[in-house]
Amino acid sequence: MDFQAGILQDGSPMESLEKQLICPICLEMFSKPVVILPCQHNLCRKCANDVFQAANPYWQSRGSLISGGRFRCPSCRHEVLLDRHGVYGLQRNLLVENIIDIYKQECSSRPLKKGEHPMCKDHEDERINIYCVTCEVPTCSMCKVFGAHKDCEVAPLQTIFQGQKTELNNCISMLVAGNDRIQTIISQLEDSCQSTEENSEAAKRELCARFDALAALLEEKKSELLQRISHEQGDKTAFIQSLICQYKEQLEKSSRLVETAIQAAEETGGAAFLMVRPPNLSPLCWIVEASKGGRLEKIEQGYESMDAFSVSLDHLSEAVRALDFDLAEEDEEYFDGEEEEVEE
């Protein structure tokens, strides 16, 4: 007997009960319903097995020793990991089976009323009980014998119904399995995205550490070279300051000698002049004293230059500009494989 929702009146408690007993896969009443733990949704065992087989094409029969597979509930998309028994390892829902049996008994005890079964539009007293294969529409026997479908090919309505319902169930199973595979790919892509972010952060930290180490090395080298320049500067300025002191001493001696000579030159009398003039104011002494300034040590031309401490960083600048990431061989093979996949 075909238990469909049209048997009962809309809005009745029995109709509400019937809606709770419909499998979301085959859209029929549950047949050997199984409970999907832990979400507690029910499915026909055959429908659940079809979905499981489509989502796990490499899963074998219960007699195999391999592990089970993943099953995603079509109602709430909750994922369950099944054991090697697959769907047959799920618990049967005996309570729902008993409710279905009681419901069917209640429905079978109710007499069918006229109008509860689809009737033919051309023959109001005839129920639609056959299917016109030629026109692809359901019709009645009178239409086949005397009516518009007398020259058409017909088939039993229940046969067409079962065939199309089976085809629809197969399509639903394929769609559910396809959705599971898409969801699996999405999960993999999300994991890849997260791994990419984590690996990128690690690569950034490593790159910053390497550049910080290079900057520290450059700073250390700069300090060393600055120290050498400062040392050379100290040596040269100390030597120049010593020369300045020597020349100042010589200048002071020469100035005192000039002052003494001027005082002697101011005497007008010969005796007074000869008595005041120091004995060392002979022309020879003047020459010797004047030549002492010329014999003092002098610095060479360009002595103050620090050109010897210039550093050329052009090659380092070029090396820094040429810095790039090292592409490993396996990375090159990976990218080549991706290009081949894209081409395919």
Side-chain angles (χ1 to χ4, degrees):
M1 183 176 182
D2 186 15
F3 301 97
Q4 298 182 1
I7 295 178
L8 301 175
Q9 296 179 358
D10 294 340
S12 65
M14 294 296 291
E15 182 181 3
S16 300
L17 175 61
E18 180 183 2
K19 292 180 179 180
Q20 300 298 323
L21 301 177
I22 297 298
C23 173
I25 299 298
C26 63
L27 303 180
E28 293 287 342
M29 283 194 179
F30 291 116
S31 175
K32 298 180 180 180
V34 293
V35 181
I36 303 173
L37 299 176
C39 66
Q40 297 295 317
H41 288 119
N42 295 276
L43 290 177
C44 298
R45 187 167 66 180
K46 180 180 181 303
C47 296
N49 189 57
D50 293 340
V51 173
F52 179 69
Q53 292 283 355
N56 301 270
Y58 299 105
W59 184 83
Q60 301 178 7
S61 62
R62 287 176 290 172
S64 64
L65 298 179
I66 65 173
S67 60
R70 297 183 181 274
F71 181 84
R72 192 180 299 275
C73 176
S75 298
C76 65
R77 312 305 298 166
H78 183 83
E79 189 175 79
V80 180
L81 184 62
L82 302 182
D83 58 13
R84 62 188 182 89
H85 298 288
V87 173
Y88 292 91
L90 294 175
Q91 183 179 359
R92 290 269 298 275
N93 196 334
L94 299 180
L95 176 61
V96 174
E97 291 188 25
N98 294 334
I99 294 175
I100 291 175
D101 292 337
I102 297 173
Y103 175 80
K104 289 183 178 180
Q105 292 176 6
E106 176 68 20
C107 291
S108 62
S109 63
R110 292 171 57 88
L112 289 175
K113 299 180 181 180
K114 183 178 180 181
E116 291 181 347
H117 192 282
M119 308 299 290
C120 180
K121 294 181 179 179
D122 297 333
H123 308 89
E124 296 181 356
D125 295 333
E126 294 292 329
R127 298 171 57 186
I128 294 178
N129 55 1
I130 60 176
Y131 185 82
C132 179
V133 179
T134 304
C135 300
E136 297 183 349
V137 293
T139 185
C140 70
S141 301
M142 296 298 294
C143 289
K144 169 58 180 172
V145 177
F146 304 106
H149 302 283
K150 61 181 180 180
D151 297 328
C152 298
E153 179 184 355
V154 297
L157 186 65
Q158 191 67 19
T159 301
I160 301 298
F161 165 73
Q162 292 295 338
Q164 293 189 2
K165 183 60 70 71
T166 301
E167 182 180 356
L168 178 61
N169 292 337
N170 293 335
C171 292
I172 293 175
S173 300
M174 292 175 61
L175 290 174
V176 172
N179 291 340
D180 290 340
R181 286 192 290 270
I182 292 175
Q183 184 62 43
T184 301
I185 295 175
I186 291 175
S187 300
Q188 293 175 350
L189 292 175
E190 290 176 348
D191 294 340
S192 299
C193 184
Q194 182 178 0
S195 299
T196 300
E197 293 177 355
E198 294 174 355
N199 295 336
S200 298
E201 293 299 325
K204 290 177 181 178
R205 289 193 296 269
E206 181 182 359
L207 183 64
C208 291
R210 292 181 180 273
F211 270 85
D212 291 341
L214 180 59
L217 180 61
L218 290 174
E219 190 67 26
E220 180 182 356
K221 193 64 177 179
K222 182 181 74 173
S223 300
E224 177 188 347
L225 296 178
L226 288 175
Q227 187 176 3
R228 289 175 57 184
I229 294 175
S230 299
H231 181 72
E232 183 69 14
Q233 175 189 356
D235 292 343
K236 287 190 175 184
T237 53
F239 176 71
I240 294 174
Q241 289 293 339
S242 66
L243 292 181
I244 292 174
C245 291
Q246 294 178 22
Y247 277 94
K248 283 184 177 181
E249 291 177 359
Q250 182 61 34
L251 178 61
E252 186 178 356
K253 291 179 181 180
S254 298
S255 298
R256 287 197 300 267
L257 183 60
V258 170
E259 183 179 356
T260 303
I262 291 174
Q263 292 177 358
E266 290 178 352
E267 295 294 335
T268 57
F273 172 79
L274 293 176
M275 290 177 64
V276 175
R277 180 184 67 86
N280 56 351
L281 285 180
S282 63
L284 180 59
C285 293
W286 282 98
I287 295 174
V288 172
E289 195 65 29
S291 63
K292 286 183 179 180
R295 291 197 302 268
L296 291 178
E297 189 176 359
K298 301 180 181 62
I299 60 173
E300 298 178 356
Q301 185 178 2
Y303 178 79
E304 67 280 2
S305 174
M306 302 294 284
D307 294 341
F309 293 92
S310 63
V311 177
S312 176
L313 299 178
D314 294 341
H315 61 291
L316 290 180
S317 301
E318 294 177 358
V320 171
R321 293 190 186 95
L323 283 177
D324 201 351
F325 298 104
D326 297 332
L327 189 62
E329 294 181 359
E330 55 269 18
D331 294 336
E332 293 179 355
E333 295 176 357
Y334 173 76
F335 287 119
D336 292 342
E338 279 191 345
E339 292 177 356
E340 292 177 359
E341 292 179 358
V342 171
E343 291 178 357
E344 292 177 358

